[in-house]
Amino acid sequence: MDVDKNKDTGRIYPWGSSRRFNSFAEHMRKTYMSRVQKVSIDAGFTCPNRDGSKGTGGCTYCSNRAFNPSYCLPEKSVTVQINEGIGFHRKRYRRADSYIAYFQAYSNTYAPLGMLEKLYDEALTHPEIKGLIISTRPDCINSEILDFLSDLSERWYISIEYGIESCYNKTLERINRRHTFEDAVTALEETKSHGISSGAHFIFGLPGESYDEMLAEAQIISALPLTSVKFHQLQLIKGTEMENEYRKKPGDFEFFTWQKYLEFITAFLERLNPEIAVERFTGEVPPRYLATEPWNNKRSDQIAHLIEKRLEETDTWQGRCHAGVNAM
Ligand code: SF4
């Protein structure tokens, strides 16, 4: 996320910067003294909600085709995907000078340890890669994998990014995640006990959740042992089970307009633990995959800029209303 810094008040916030939220990009910049870019990899994993061990249909909103960058193809080796990803980012974001391999597609710890070791080692031996971010489900982690990652984390930046999506089991059931929120809490606690950083993503606007329920998640998420979070507004993807559900019962869905989302995220950030870095406020799927209207062509970086502007206009910041944090 790359938005202008707030220089309006000269205040320094608890995360050590003048920006009004704890930015993950800045957190990484401080760690590496350089601008870090993630390079996505599709290493050919599947997930237990697709291969039949838990289910075959997947989560109702899932479409990895829509979520993955075009240079990620499992037919290509990890090294080739890293080279192509770095080439892509060099053209687009010229300021990036460090790269992290982002094992993104499906569940990237869902394989025997020997295979994981081989894939992660291939990424880490690439001369431009400084570490790994591994995206997975909370029920696809175990102490054997965590022990291995813990060893790696002594030499490299290692973070596990868990898809949690909602703090409510009624929602997780409705979107067919086939794990519970308690599974997510256990995975985060075990990851922390192994000394490994954790990220998590959450979706706002899932069917059956009220505005107040979503807002109340700020307090629940604040208590989790997380280094970073990514937030996405619900986007309805063509061809998904959720699209069928929407066609049958459109009244069950209330999609955020970008204006309402700005209001929601601002209120959410005020309640969020200031120690948790925020990596994204929105998701962005190419419009050709969307079954609903995009947000007036507003890109994620524009929305992020507007959110930061709104924080400034209303003179508020991440954690201002978080329990235990005094107003500045
Ligand atoms: S969202 Fe993730 S866990 Fe769900 S079906 Fe897709 S790959 Fe599997």
Side-chain angles (χ1 to χ4, degrees):
M1 193 185 306
D2 187 16
V3 286
D4 296 335
K5 289 182 180 182
N6 289 320
K7 297 188 178 103
D8 55 325
T9 60
R11 279 192 205 119
I12 297 295
Y13 293 94
W15 41 89
S17 108
S18 57
R19 288 178 79 171
R20 287 169 180 261
F21 75 100
N22 185 355
S23 152
F24 182 71
E26 286 210 4
H27 163 80
M28 294 300 276
R29 208 171 300 169
K30 275 186 215 146
T31 310
Y32 287 101
M33 304 303 286
S34 62
R35 190 183 156 94
V36 180
Q37 181 65 51
K38 292 196 295 189
V39 178
S40 296
I41 294 166
D42 181 342
F45 290 97
T46 178
C47 100
N49 203 7
R50 291 196 166 273
D51 72 357
S53 67
K54 282 208 160 173
T56 51
C59 308
T60 59
Y61 58 87
C62 174
S63 167
N64 271 270
R65 186 174 52 104
F67 299 152
N68 263 0
S70 54
Y71 60 79
C72 288
L73 287 173
E75 299 78 37
K76 298 177 188 170
S77 72
V78 166
T79 307
V80 168
Q81 291 184 60
I82 291 172
N83 287 336
E84 291 184 3
I86 290 176
F88 172 84
H89 288 296
R90 283 226 166 99
K91 275 192 213 137
R92 215 171 145 194
Y93 309 105
R94 289 165 196 265
R95 283 175 294 160
D97 42 17
S98 291
Y99 296 92
I100 301 271
Y102 179 31
F103 283 84
Q104 180 179 10
Y106 298 95
S107 300
N108 294 272
T109 54
Y110 188 50
L113 183 61
M115 189 194 285
L116 299 180
E117 285 176 1
K118 199 164 156 284
L119 291 165
Y120 301 159
D121 280 349
E122 185 178 344
L124 290 171
T125 48
H126 190 287
E128 298 203 62
I129 291 297
K130 302 271 193 266
L132 306 177
I133 297 181
I134 300 162
S135 169
T136 196
R137 288 168 55 95
D139 56 358
C140 288
I141 201 75
N142 57 45
S143 53
E144 197 187 23
I145 297 171
L146 288 171
D147 285 342
F148 171 66
L149 292 175
S150 177
D151 285 346
L152 286 184
S153 72
E154 286 173 18
R155 282 165 291 142
W156 307 92
Y157 176 83
I158 305 290
S159 176
I160 306 178
E161 185 179 283
Y162 290 104
I164 300 179
E165 320 310 353
S166 171
C167 300
Y168 301 114
N169 285 335
K170 64 165 188 172
T171 310
L172 296 176
E173 208 170 300
R174 178 155 184 180
I175 61 175
N176 197 38
R177 283 289 299 179
R178 292 184 179 257
H179 66 74
T180 62
F181 180 64
E182 290 71 27
D183 292 332
V185 175
T186 303
L188 289 172
E189 284 171 352
E190 287 184 5
T191 305
K192 184 172 184 195
S193 75
H194 281 76
I196 303 167
S197 301
S198 297
H201 40 93
F202 296 92
I203 303 173
F204 296 127
L206 289 167
E209 283 185 7
S210 69
Y211 186 96
D212 287 347
E213 281 174 321
M214 288 185 271
L215 204 53
E217 288 186 291
Q219 202 178 343
I220 305 170
I221 294 168
S222 289
L224 298 174
L226 280 166
T227 306
S228 63
V229 279
K230 278 176 163 175
F231 301 124
H232 291 187
Q233 79 285 20
L234 178 64
Q235 298 176 98
L236 193 63
I237 312 296
K238 285 179 190 162
T240 57
E241 183 50 37
M242 191 174 274
E243 186 192 8
N244 292 335
E245 200 188 333
Y246 172 67
R247 302 285 167 221
K248 284 183 206 144
K249 285 185 165 181
D252 282 7
F253 289 77
E254 194 175 342
F255 295 101
F256 275 106
T257 60
W258 66 264
Q259 294 93 335
K260 186 84 178 164
Y261 195 69
L262 283 190
E263 178 198 311
F264 170 75
I265 282 288
T266 306
F268 191 94
L269 281 175
E270 286 182 317
R271 291 158 175 77
L272 185 66
N273 185 342
E275 289 178 8
I276 299 177
V278 182
E279 187 174 351
R280 292 188 73 97
F281 295 121
T282 56
E284 191 175 292
V285 165
R288 66 182 181 282
Y289 293 120
L290 284 176
T292 46
E293 285 301 305
W295 280 351
N296 288 352
N297 293 325
K298 283 220 163 7
R299 307 289 311 258
S300 282
D301 56 347
Q302 291 171 296
I303 296 288
H305 184 81
L306 290 169
I307 290 169
E308 212 161 352
K309 198 159 162 254
R310 190 178 172 95
L311 291 170
E312 190 181 323
E313 283 162 0
T314 52
D315 192 19
T316 191
W317 54 88
Q318 181 180 338
R320 189 177 69 85
C321 306
H322 173 62
V325 174
N326 296 324
M328 293 180 69

